[in-house]
Amino acid sequence: MAVIESKLERSEGFKSRLEHWMKMAEAIRSQEAELRLGGGLAAQEKQRAKGKMTARERVEALCDAGEPFLELGLWAAYGMYEDYGGAPAAGVVTGIGRIHGRDVVVVSNDATVKAGAWFPMTCKKVLRAQEISLENRLPIVYLVDSAGVFLPLQDEIFPDKEHFGRAFYNNARLSAAGVFQMAAIMGSCVAGGAYLPIMSDESHIVEGEGSIFLAGPHLVKAAIGEEIGNEELGGAMVQCDISGVVDHRHADDATCLTKIRSQ
């Protein structure tokens, strides 16, 4: 077989252009590293101080060690929502990883970005992850830690065929197609966002941090004057042992993720 040799002439112009694009590539890698910080180092440390893992640490603990994680939509919402402080990666990590060698779609809310609230682009990113799961018949794991819809932009989140409510429609489609859905409530799970994990085939919750309710303690106080805490209203004990909404409760993030890996 003939060897095809390069005829590239490394002129001064070529070297100049090479240097330019190498700098551009380095700038992109630097921006990607910044995006992966989510709400920033201070916000991450605040989350760890509560005994919680960050969104990406949860994904890493869930997936097989040493195996690649194909992240999807890292640049989603880039340059958007600046009036609200921005939403790096749309406040959610999505991609395809492996659990015991099997490809699995993972959706992990980043609570360092506006408490994991859903922006319009968060919706689109999660919907795309669900579509990939359905189209390729890949199990999907939701690691939930979200304050629900970002209220200042709620008018851009609800009124559309391809927006927030579509996530729950996809929950039903995935179940009907026999595509397994696993959810872990690892922090807040509020309002409309509470439907997604409880419509999954199996759900887990972390004690002391995980909670599920449509209206939080402040709204309960405003509506009926009753003072109640997160745990009493919709914490792990309530939702697992009393209501039966959740299947398993765990002492911490690590224990929860280990159990999911064993399923």
Side-chain angles (χ1 to χ4, degrees):
M1 180 182 294
V3 176
I4 301 176
E5 297 181 358
S6 174
K7 301 297 184 182
L8 184 65
E9 294 184 4
R10 293 183 176 270
S11 64
E12 289 302 316
F14 171 84
K15 293 178 182 178
S16 176
R17 289 188 292 273
L18 175 62
E19 182 180 357
H20 168 77
W21 289 114
M22 290 296 287
K23 287 181 179 178
M24 292 294 292
E26 182 59 34
I28 290 174
R29 283 190 287 268
S30 177
Q31 289 174 323
E32 288 179 338
E34 185 175 349
L35 289 170
R36 290 190 173 94
L37 291 177
L41 291 174
Q44 289 185 356
E45 288 306 315
K46 185 177 180 180
Q47 182 154 326
R48 294 189 187 103
K50 297 179 181 178
K52 299 167 64 176
M53 295 179 178
T54 66
R56 294 178 186 279
E57 288 169 346
R58 288 167 177 166
V59 173
E60 184 177 0
L62 175 69
C63 298
D64 294 346
E67 290 292 331
F69 178 71
L70 177 60
E71 183 166 356
L72 305 170
L74 174 61
W75 290 82
Y78 182 75
M80 300 175 68
Y81 315 126
E82 295 301 323
D83 290 345
Y84 305 100
V92 63
V93 179
T94 64
I96 301 172
R98 288 179 180 168
I99 300 178
H100 298 300
R102 181 172 184 178
D103 288 339
V104 175
V105 175
V106 182
V107 176
S108 180
N109 296 117
D110 188 346
T112 69
V113 180
K114 291 291 187 292
W118 285 54
F119 287 78
M121 287 303 295
T122 312
C123 288
K124 294 184 181 297
K125 193 170 174 179
V126 172
L127 292 179
R128 182 59 185 140
Q130 290 179 316
E131 289 169 1
I132 290 170
S133 173
L134 183 61
E135 291 168 0
N136 297 278
R137 300 192 65 81
L138 297 177
I140 183 167
V141 178
Y142 308 100
L143 305 179
V144 183
D145 193 347
S146 172
V149 167
F150 186 64
L151 294 178
L153 295 174
Q154 61 180 311
D155 62 328
E156 298 180 35
I157 294 174
F158 288 107
D160 199 318
K161 177 183 176 182
E162 300 294 338
H163 274 173
F164 197 49
R166 189 79 175 187
F168 317 127
Y169 171 66
N170 286 343
N171 274 139
R173 292 174 67 208
L174 285 158
S175 290
V179 178
F180 189 68
Q181 299 176 86
M182 179 86 77
I185 297 94
M186 312 183 84
S188 296
C189 186
V190 183
Y195 296 116
L196 186 145
I198 64 175
M199 288 183 69
S200 298
D201 298 295
E202 186 171 317
S203 56
H204 303 250
I205 191 168
V206 176
E207 296 170 352
E209 289 297 337
S211 58
I212 306 173
F213 35 67
L214 295 182
H218 296 296
L219 287 177
V220 173
K221 173 71 173 177
I224 61 175
E226 180 180 349
E227 293 188 5
I228 189 170
N230 284 356
E231 286 298 306
E232 296 78 17
L233 184 61
M237 182 72 75
V238 170
Q239 300 295 15
C240 190
D241 296 31
I242 299 175
S243 72
V245 166
V246 179
D247 300 295
H248 309 280
R249 57 186 173 92
H250 308 279
D252 51 39
D253 283 9
T255 305
C256 179
L257 295 168
T258 298
K259 178 64 175 179
I260 293 175
R261 282 184 53 81
S262 73
Q263 296 299 91

